[in-house]
Amino acid sequence: FKRYQSETEMMRYLRQLSDKDLALDRTMIPLGSCTMKLNAATEMAAITWPEFASVHPFAPDNQNRGWLTLIKELEEYLCEVTGYDRVSLQPNAGSQGEFAGLLAIQKYHQSYGDSNRTICLIPSSAHGTNAASAVMAGMQVVVVNCDAEGNVELSDIEDKISKYGEQIAAIMVTYPSTHGVFEEGITVICEMMHSIGAQVYVDGANLNALVGLAKPGKFGADVSHLNLHKTFCIPHGGGGPGVGPVAVKEHLAAFLPTHSLHTETGAISGAPFGSAGILPIPYAYIRLMSAQGLRQATEVAILSANYIAKRLSEHYPVLYTNDVGLVAHECIIDVRPITKTSGVSVDDIAKRLIDYGFHAPTMSFPVAGTLMIEPTESEALVEIERFIDAMISIRNEIRQVESGEVALEASPLTSAPHTALSLLASNLSVEERLVAGFPRGSINKYWPPVGRIDGAYGDRNLTCACPPIEELALENL
């Protein structure tokens, strides 16, 4: 506010920030598990309208009838899509939706005087928020193993049931799993849990691979949270408002969060409908897509992931597939064997992709030394092909290291990403500069504002960048 005091200066400042950003308006963001899909301008337009944007969260019902109609219809759409009976839009994030769902399970058990159910089974492939939510809800986490194909190990669930029995309150399963495969035993898992009176929580993080094809509420699940910032096109990340609705079967409906003034069941958010201001986005998305469009989007997302996995499997090992070699909505590329033969790490590949004009996939989650890739249905075949070509080109650069043609320390892989200044200031030849800064296939050139940093060192050696306390004194402001 001191530096930019005209609209012209502010406009240029925003443009400078935009030029530094490697965002979806420039390139595909293939982050696995995060579902970085298009947030269309048409879907987002309504959130700027004062009829939506200027309504207070605690306005009386007779002043927000339009809002209540939209909310009611959106809840009905989400119930129809998931197969559940009731939905609460109150949670402000997927993690809050998890917490709300686990509290509903807890209160359900307590309503039967079953207060000894304190254990939550969580597979080793789960999102980290699952365990955190269970602990916040006062539950004890017991980890369930996964087999070599990435599925939850049914025999280990049997062992846990034998050991803990009616102490088990619930199991949290991500379907399809974070390993990028559909849990083939999901209905069996549901039956096993229900046989001992426990509940089944299906993490809805990967619902983008289910909409129109399968409904968690119909194949045995009792509760799920839905990441509207993933499957239903609310923008992801950036610190903005989120919505992580919790959906339940009828027997859990009485235990959903309610208005914060209704103390008998409590609230997850301070506002009755959470981050209601962004609900017009998923509402518009669902209405524009229709049932047929939602199903087609899911089918294309799965097709795109399998196409990438198939094309790249000749160059990189694909870690998990089903018995016919297929993945779900994302695939995990295993870099560990390549690192053993070349010394090239998963970080090197991720950083080198920036030189090709791509955001990196998810690194080392849920398996260390891997890349998890999710194209979503938003990406055209031409962009998917461009990404595949970049990955193949990087693999050829790795082969040069493996063969001894290029020393590891001299490879552009280990110095990526390359800023314009780093290439100008180096002693590289013209040919080496071209290879580093303009690798084959980098038609969508992006210049990173900074080069490689030692992230691990920074994480372990924190430095306070805050101004001295004296500068914050009232007389100096």
Side-chain angles (χ1 to χ4, degrees):
F1 293 104
K2 291 182 179 179
R3 190 171 193 179
Y4 306 105
Q5 297 183 349
S6 73
E7 184 172 348
T8 306
E9 290 173 311
M10 178 58 75
M11 172 186 67
R12 289 171 182 158
Y13 171 63
L14 294 175
R15 176 55 189 262
Q16 290 168 14
L17 293 178
S18 176
D19 287 343
K20 293 178 180 179
D21 197 11
L22 189 55
L24 200 68
D25 60 354
R26 186 190 294 266
T27 183
M28 171 173 140
I29 301 182
L31 284 171
S33 186
C34 284
T35 316
M36 303 295 281
K37 60 199 284 182
L38 177 67
N39 314 125
T42 303
E43 297 155 10
M44 295 194 287
I47 67 174
T48 67
W49 300 346
E51 293 85 350
F52 285 121
S54 299
V55 177
H56 194 280
F58 293 143
D61 289 351
N62 63 0
Q63 294 180 20
N64 60 9
R65 288 174 183 159
W67 260 120
L68 294 176
T69 299
L70 182 147
I71 289 169
K72 181 176 182 296
E73 291 184 7
L74 181 58
E75 289 175 347
E76 291 171 353
Y77 296 154
L78 295 177
C79 283
E80 175 62 28
V81 163
T82 60
Y84 287 110
D85 300 311
R86 290 279 299 279
V87 170
S88 169
L89 297 171
Q90 191 178 116
N92 282 322
S95 54
Q96 284 193 15
E98 292 176 19
F99 184 51
L102 291 173
L103 289 181
I105 290 173
Q106 203 172 53
K107 291 171 183 174
Y108 169 75
H109 288 310
Q110 290 170 356
S111 71
Y112 285 94
D114 215 353
S115 57
N116 66 325
R117 291 186 181 268
T118 57
I119 290 175
C120 185
L121 303 183
I122 298 181
S124 59
S125 62
H127 285 91
T129 52
N130 287 179
S133 297
V135 171
M136 282 186 65
M139 295 182 180
Q140 178 186 350
V141 173
V142 173
V143 177
V144 177
N145 297 329
C146 291
D147 60 25
E149 284 73 45
N151 295 299
V152 176
E153 204 169 78
L154 299 182
S155 60
D156 195 38
I157 293 180
E158 291 178 352
D159 291 343
K160 298 299 190 290
I161 289 175
S162 298
K163 184 175 182 179
Y164 299 107
E166 295 187 357
Q167 289 180 266
I168 300 173
I171 187 171
M172 297 184 81
V173 182
T174 304
Y175 183 84
S177 78
T178 310
H179 286 154
V181 293
F182 289 98
E183 292 283 355
E184 295 183 2
I186 186 64
T187 55
V188 176
I189 292 172
C190 294
E191 291 168 0
M192 293 169 72
M193 288 296 102
H194 291 153
S195 69
I196 60 167
Q199 299 289 283
V200 178
Y201 187 110
V202 168
D203 186 316
N206 298 329
L207 199 70
N208 204 51
L210 292 182
V211 176
L213 298 179
K215 299 180 179 182
K218 297 297 184 184
F219 60 63
D222 300 292
V223 56
S224 291
H225 81 270
L226 320 176
N227 286 341
L228 297 196
H229 62 274
K230 291 184 176 183
T231 307
F232 296 97
C233 289
I234 289 174
H236 187 297
V243 183
V246 55
V248 299
K249 298 294 287 183
E250 190 59 46
H251 65 280
L252 294 176
F255 308 104
L256 286 173
T258 60
H259 192 288
S260 57
L261 299 179
H262 295 180
T263 56
E264 67 273 13
T265 52
I268 293 297
S269 169
F273 300 106
S275 303
I278 50 177
L279 293 180
I281 301 172
Y283 180 87
Y285 172 71
I286 293 172
R287 291 295 300 267
L288 287 167
M289 293 289 281
S290 76
Q292 179 182 353
L294 292 172
R295 179 188 178 104
Q296 184 179 2
T298 303
E299 293 170 339
V300 172
I302 295 173
L303 177 63
S304 297
N306 277 280
Y307 181 70
I308 288 177
K310 184 67 174 177
R311 287 284 312 279
L312 291 183
S313 64
E314 301 173 21
H315 306 275
Y316 300 88
V318 177
L319 188 56
Y320 297 117
T321 61
N322 67 5
D323 55 0
V324 292
L326 297 177
V327 298
H329 60 303
E330 59 194 8
C331 60
I332 296 179
I333 302 301
D334 194 354
V335 183
R336 292 171 297 181
I338 294 171
T339 301
K340 288 181 180 178
T341 58
S342 68
V344 175
S345 70
V346 66
D347 297 72
D348 295 330
I349 296 174
K351 303 299 184 185
R352 184 60 170 151
L353 273 170
I354 299 173
D355 288 332
Y356 285 81
F358 282 103
H359 194 290
T362 299
M363 294 193 302
S364 293
F365 174 81
V367 181
T370 65
L371 292 171
M372 183 159 58
I373 302 166
E374 182 178 1
T376 80
E377 75 281 2
S378 296
E379 299 300 339
L381 182 58
V382 64
E383 182 72 354
I384 291 174
E385 294 283 15
R386 191 171 76 87
F387 174 78
I388 292 170
D389 289 344
M391 289 293 292
I392 293 174
S393 180
I394 289 172
R395 184 66 181 98
N396 289 332
E397 292 177 350
I398 296 171
R399 290 189 179 104
Q400 290 180 319
V401 175
E402 290 173 325
S403 66
E405 181 181 346
V406 176
L408 177 61
E409 58 274 11
S411 170
L413 287 159
T414 57
S415 54
H418 298 91
T419 65
L421 182 61
S422 70
L423 294 180
L424 290 172
S426 66
N427 295 321
L428 300 175
S429 66
V430 173
E431 177 64 25
E432 288 171 328
R433 285 193 179 102
L434 286 174
V435 170
F438 296 89
R440 181 175 173 269
S442 60
I443 58 174
N444 186 18
K445 184 57 191 169
Y446 163 77
W447 288 108
V450 294
R452 179 87 66 108
I453 63 171
D454 190 338
Y457 178 88
D459 291 340
R460 294 186 177 96
N461 298 271
L462 302 180
T463 301
C464 181
C466 305
I469 189 81
E470 292 79 13
E471 290 187 19
L472 300 176
L474 185 61
E475 60 269 19
N476 294 326
L477 294 180

